Amino acid sequence: EQLVESGGGLVKPGGSLRLSCAASGFPFSSYTMHWVRQAPGKGLQWVSSINTGSTYIYYADSVKGRFTISRDNTKNSLHLQMNSLRVEDTALYYCARDRRASELPLDDAFDVWGQGTTVTVSS
Amino acid sequence: YMLTQPPSVSVAPGKTATITCGGNNIGRKSVYWYQQRPGLAPILVIYYDSDRPSGIPERFSGSNSGNTATLTISRVDAEDEADYYCQVWDNIDDHWVFGGGTKLTVL
């Protein structure tokens, strides 16, 4: 069971970036997935979640209207389109998986995490 | 919804570490705990307040009541030195919430 993030980089304020997370070793289409970020030297901050059928999508207030989460179950991939980026979006972005498989979002833990991809927003 | 953790906890090897996570009526919610060693991704250590995933030592235990959830690590050793985060689902705002994290130092 593995998650590998990609797509991070250096971008100017106001710019855009698309993160991806490639899943392997488990039935990706059966799990709700999440993005969590961690600013340098700071704690974990939940960003967004999406259920198996993309019918339940949630965002943190700090990114709502600027970020879009999506998934492609045929390609076992999770994405985060980030627009109107701000300096405060600078962070290591992790994708994570729900502990249990379910079509609906669950109140359950995140049991598989990737190693993260770094996003730096700076002029 | 907000979760409050002490920024740091220190404990001598072989002793018991207690890390708290405060929140309004948190006892009515399921609490999850993660361990994050420097430079690494978080690892789930406790789910549903007190259950341990496979591979997590029995030294790790959790409880949750009232306004405080607690992660207890008994017989602490050097490998337990890490940041620990609590997490809950806020079903009012449909948000996941993490505590600010607690740095556990093994003296």
Side-chain angles (χ1 to χ4, degrees):
Chain A
E1 299 174 327
Q2 189 176 21
L3 298 170
V4 178
E5 301 91 339
S6 62
L10 174 63
V11 61
K12 288 182 168 52
S16 298
L17 215 52
R18 186 177 190 242
L19 306 184
S20 296
C21 172
S24 60
F26 67 95
F28 176 77
S29 62
S30 298
Y31 288 83
T32 291
M33 298 295 296
H34 313 272
W35 287 100
V36 176
R37 69 185 182 184
Q38 187 168 33
K42 303 297 184 182
L44 301 175
Q45 182 188 24
W46 170 75
V47 174
S48 183
S49 302
I50 185 169
N51 76 318
T52 57
S54 304
T55 52
Y56 289 86
I57 291 176
Y58 307 113
Y59 296 100
D61 293 343
S62 58
V63 307
K64 198 167 188 176
R66 300 187 299 122
F67 290 11
T68 302
I69 191 172
S70 63
R71 65 190 295 161
D72 185 339
N73 290 336
T74 65
K75 296 182 179 179
N76 293 342
S77 61
L78 175 72
H79 304 284
L80 186 68
Q81 177 66 42
M82 304 186 296
N83 299 331
S84 303
L85 282 162
R86 305 168 180 167
V87 171
E88 54 265 34
D89 295 319
T90 294
L92 180 63
Y93 284 73
Y94 294 104
C95 67
R97 187 197 81 171
D98 255 12
R99 192 180 65 87
R100 286 184 293 148
S102 173
E103 290 185 7
L104 298 177
L106 297 173
D107 182 353
D108 206 336
F110 303 173
D111 76 330
V112 179
W113 296 66
Q115 287 306 301
T117 186
T118 299
V119 172
T120 303
V121 184
S122 174
S123 55
Chain B
Y1 193 81
M2 290 184 62
L3 297 174
T4 302
Q5 297 182 236
S8 63
V9 168
S10 299
V11 63
K15 300 300 185 183
T16 298
T18 299
I19 298 173
T20 58
C21 176
N24 186 39
N25 290 318
I26 194 174
R28 298 180 182 178
K29 297 181 179 295
S30 292
V31 178
Y32 312 102
W33 290 93
Y34 301 87
Q35 174 195 70
Q36 187 181 33
R37 296 189 175 106
L40 297 179
I43 296 171
L44 176 67
V45 294
I46 293 289
Y47 64 97
Y48 290 158
D49 298 341
S50 59
D51 290 344
R52 275 178 293 102
S54 61
I56 300 301
E58 292 183 5
R59 302 186 295 105
F60 287 80
S61 62
S63 62
N64 185 18
S65 179
N67 292 318
T68 305
T70 302
L71 173 69
T72 302
I73 309 171
S74 58
R75 303 183 300 282
V76 166
D77 64 27
E79 71 174 14
D80 299 327
E81 190 161 281
D83 294 325
Y84 291 84
Y85 296 90
C86 57
Q87 178 200 28
V88 300
W89 171 248
D90 173 6
N91 61 350
I92 300 299
D93 291 333
D94 288 339
H95 283 26
W96 282 102
V97 180
F98 285 97
T102 297
K103 182 177 180 57
L104 176 65
T105 298
V106 180
L107 300 171

